[in-house]
Amino acid sequence: MKLGNKSFLSLYDLSKDEIDRLIDLSIELKAEKKNGIYKYRLKNKNIALLFEKTSTRTRCAASVACFDEGGHAEFLGKNDIQMGKKESVRDTARVLGKIFDSIIYRGYKQETVKILSEYSGIPVINGLTDEEHPTQIIADLMTIKEKFNKLEGLKVCYIGDARNNVACSLIVGCLKMNVDIFVAAPKSLWPSDSFIVSAKLLSKKAGLYLTEDPLEAVKNSNVVYTDVWVSMGEENAPDIDERIKLLKNYQVNKFVMDQTGLADSIFLHCLPASHEEESHYLEVSEEVFESKQSYVFEQAGNRLHTIKALLVTLLGGKV
Ligand code: CP
Ligand code: NVA
């Protein structure tokens, strides 16, 4: 895909060069904001934030990105609009396409974001579906590049529920950027065989390695990444207790971080993370979450600059 007046539905759609350009532009936009430089590249642009699931980072990043660039973001939560109740996705798409310049969608099925793009005729950005979370991964890659000054040749290790949206998008993003990705999860929580086969074709220089042993996966990793064990929409799934039991040896704690053997390895998490007060499991120990190795809040802040870079690129504003 060539970015510019197109949609961004999946990381599969972007080439390595396009991801590189988005990361570099995000770094530039971050510096501009720090220096109080505003160029209003989204002036007169109206962006619909169509969110069927809750959000802190993606919603706030998109709203502030629009404001910073002179555009307007309209939040359309699931209880605010007719879609899903009185109106079909197709009709909603056609209506929004006549009124807005772009849609950022967060919801359930990947199919929905495709329908929105097809029927609205305006650029649509996937702000998380059950299958993918592509905007998150651009921010993750930016955070890794800021820390290590490069991507190619690095090793990322993902530990936890490896079938979820973040894990699958991270695998695709790393391989596209020639970053080795090691995944540690119980076999029943690995991505599907068809996903693994197609992901492995994405890079000639880097590999995807799956194991059930977190200590093996984490060796020499520059980045250790995890996500919640129960994603949005799965709260009442019948296998949850079983899944949490299966994952109890997959917590990222200090012992696991130490096994990287590298003094400068970092911990990442897309957030929100589980904490003792509100969760009956912890995918990351408080010690690691609060440690110097934890870059989770830099990572969260980078959601702003990366969504801004995407909007500016997709809506064709002058960069
Ligand atoms: N990481 C992320 O997408 O956070 P939100 O769910 O708060 O948007
Ligand atoms: N896997 C998580 C990511 C949240 C940003 C979820 O879908 O809930």
Side-chain angles (χ1 to χ4, degrees):
M1 165 174 115
K2 215 166 167 297
L3 279 175
N5 282 319
K6 295 269 168 53
S7 287
F8 177 50
L9 308 184
S10 167
L11 270 182
Y12 276 106
D13 299 341
L14 298 189
S15 66
K16 177 178 182 300
D17 280 357
E18 285 172 324
I19 299 174
D20 267 327
R21 282 208 300 278
L22 279 174
I23 294 170
D24 291 345
L25 176 58
S26 305
I27 292 171
E28 261 173 67
L29 295 174
K30 184 174 181 175
E32 276 183 11
K33 181 157 170 112
K34 192 169 169 213
N35 293 314
I37 299 166
Y38 292 93
K39 296 195 178 168
Y40 306 112
R41 301 167 181 91
L42 298 175
K43 189 160 179 275
N44 298 327
K45 301 287 185 194
N46 287 286
I47 290 106
L49 308 185
L50 181 56
F51 277 39
E52 295 191 284
K53 289 178 178 168
T54 51
S55 168
T56 299
R57 280 142 288 271
T58 311
R59 175 183 176 170
C60 297
S63 295
V64 174
C66 290
F67 181 84
D68 283 353
E69 291 293 340
H72 166 71
E74 183 72 24
F75 184 73
L76 306 170
K78 78 169 169 33
N79 296 321
D80 303 326
I81 58 163
Q82 313 286 16
M83 190 178 89
K85 294 183 273 289
K86 291 170 75 174
E87 197 153 40
S88 67
V89 175
R90 284 200 303 269
D91 288 357
T92 306
R94 284 180 279 196
V95 171
L96 297 183
K98 295 283 181 221
I99 297 175
F100 287 93
D101 299 289
S102 177
I103 299 169
I104 301 181
Y105 170 76
R106 163 167 291 205
Y108 296 87
K109 295 191 191 115
Q110 186 69 15
E111 188 57 22
T112 308
V113 81
K114 286 188 191 157
I115 296 172
L116 286 170
S117 173
E118 193 182 331
Y119 282 82
S120 68
I122 54 175
V124 174
I125 295 177
N126 177 354
L128 181 147
T129 58
D130 290 342
E131 289 165 49
E132 304 199 26
H133 196 2
T135 63
Q136 175 69 49
I137 305 311
I138 306 290
D140 302 341
L141 293 167
M142 173 189 179
T143 310
I144 297 170
K145 186 165 182 188
E146 282 181 321
K147 163 73 184 171
F148 296 103
N149 256 316
K150 63 170 188 178
L151 289 170
E152 197 158 315
L154 294 177
K155 176 177 168 182
V156 170
C157 172
Y158 179 93
I159 302 177
D161 176 8
R163 326 141 307 133
N164 81 10
N165 41 17
V166 169
C168 290
S169 291
L170 183 69
I171 290 169
V172 174
C174 285
L175 291 173
K176 289 230 166 192
M177 303 315 284
N178 295 325
V179 171
D180 279 321
I181 171 89
F182 284 64
V183 172
K187 210 161 189 172
S188 58
L189 297 175
W190 288 10
S192 68
D193 289 345
S194 61
F195 174 90
I196 294 171
V197 169
S198 54
K200 282 188 171 174
L201 298 174
L202 289 171
S203 177
K204 290 200 173 81
K205 293 188 178 167
L208 163 63
Y209 306 92
L210 295 115
T211 168
E212 293 198 286
D213 181 355
L215 301 186
E216 181 194 327
V218 84
K219 267 186 222 143
N220 297 318
S221 289
N222 306 96
V223 178
V224 182
Y225 198 125
T226 192
D227 183 16
V228 289
W229 295 345
V230 182
S231 286
M232 285 182 276
E234 295 186 325
E235 295 80 1
N236 298 318
D239 75 316
I240 292 306
D241 291 342
E242 183 55 29
R243 192 192 304 171
I244 290 170
K245 254 191 238 153
L246 277 175
L247 284 165
K248 79 175 178 344
N249 295 326
Y250 291 83
Q251 184 191 69
V252 178
N253 51 39
K254 185 162 183 317
F255 181 71
V256 170
M257 285 303 292
D258 286 347
Q259 304 312 305
T260 65
L262 302 175
D264 65 347
S265 59
I266 62 170
F267 170 72
L268 295 182
H269 190 312
C270 57
L271 304 180
S274 309
H275 290 290
E276 269 148 16
E277 312 85 77
E278 64 275 327
S279 177
H280 55 299
Y281 71 87
L282 292 182
E283 70 276 4
V284 52
S285 69
E286 297 291 348
E287 188 180 14
V288 168
F289 189 84
E290 297 296 342
S291 70
K292 284 215 172 74
Q293 282 175 291
S294 174
Y295 277 57
V296 297
F297 295 109
E298 284 77 359
Q299 182 187 5
N302 283 340
R303 295 297 309 282
L304 167 62
H305 314 295
T306 45
I307 286 204
K308 196 186 277 181
L310 261 168
L311 284 169
V312 162
T313 306
L314 288 172
L315 298 185
K318 280 207 183 79
V319 178

